[in-house]
């Protein structure tokens, strides 16, 4: 089966994009971010499943859903911007690992140039890779990386 979608899951406070700390996160809104992801998904030949939640349990459920889709060959994987949950949520780390979800961690800002507590990611050890500090382009790069991963695996 050929993958037909990519999941882009956004965590807490990303619904405030455009209003929250524009000097750090830019002036674009979450809807602007979704619109910037659409061409990358189209280039990969997949639909975009773009969501945001401020609730950890809902994000865990979505990671499980994406993991089932990955196991069925329906999705390339997930681009995850878990916001502050990146630094605090072992539950989300375990969800990604337990679901066997190919995931790329993404951050709009360079979290390593900010407060020291942002240096640690619970997600990074179970992610394929991490993109940080490249603004909205980081999402497109992550979608492209998932598509390239699929291309490399089908050539073998």
């Amino acid at each position: 089966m050929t993958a037909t979608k990519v999941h882009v899951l956004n965590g807490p406070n990303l619904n405030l994009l455009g209003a929250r700390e524009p000097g750090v996160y830019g002036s674009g809104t979450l809807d602007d971010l979704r619109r910037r992801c659409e061409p990358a998904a189209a280039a990969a030949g997949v639909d975009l499943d773009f969501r945001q939640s401020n609730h950890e349990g809902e994000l865990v459920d979505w990671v499980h859903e994406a993991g089932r889709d990955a196991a069925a060959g329906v999705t390339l994987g997930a681009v995850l911007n878990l916001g502050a949950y990146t630094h605090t949520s072992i539950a989300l780390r375990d969800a990604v690992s337990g679901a066997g979800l190919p995931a790329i961690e993404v951050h709009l800002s360079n979290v390593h140039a900010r407060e020291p507590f942002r240096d640690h990611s619970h997600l990074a050890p179970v992610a394929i890779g991490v993109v940080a500090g490249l603004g909205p382009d980081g999402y497109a790069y992550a979608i492209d990386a998932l598509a390239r991963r699929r291309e490399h695996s089908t050539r073998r």
Side-chain angles (χ1 to χ4, degrees), residues 70-122:
V74 173
T75 187
L76 295 175
V79 174
L80 302 177
N81 184 342
L82 299 179
Y85 288 143
T86 301
H87 318 291
T88 63
S89 180
I90 295 168
L92 279 160
R93 179 254 179 245
D94 287 351
V96 170
S97 178
L101 177 62
I104 298 179
E105 176 183 336
V106 173
H107 300 282
L108 293 164
S109 69
N110 180 356
V111 293
H112 304 291
R114 296 181 60 200
E115 303 89 347
F117 70 84
R118 295 185 196 276
D119 282 343
H120 178 74
S121 167
H122 287 291

Side-chain angles (χ1 to χ4, degrees), residues 1 11 28-29 36 38 40 42-43 64 72 92 101 112 129 132 134 137 143 149:
M1 171 175 249
T29 66
R36 300 246 341 233
E38 289 170 347
H64 292 172
L92 279 160
L101 177 62
H112 304 291
L134 301 178
D137 290 339
I143 292 168
R149 185 175 178 267

Side-chain angles (χ1 to χ4, degrees), residues 10-13 52-62 85 92:
N10 295 281
N13 299 313
Q52 186 276 331
S53 179
N54 292 319
H55 304 282
E56 185 178 31
E58 185 166 41
L59 288 161
V60 167
D61 289 342
W62 291 347
Y85 288 143
L92 279 160

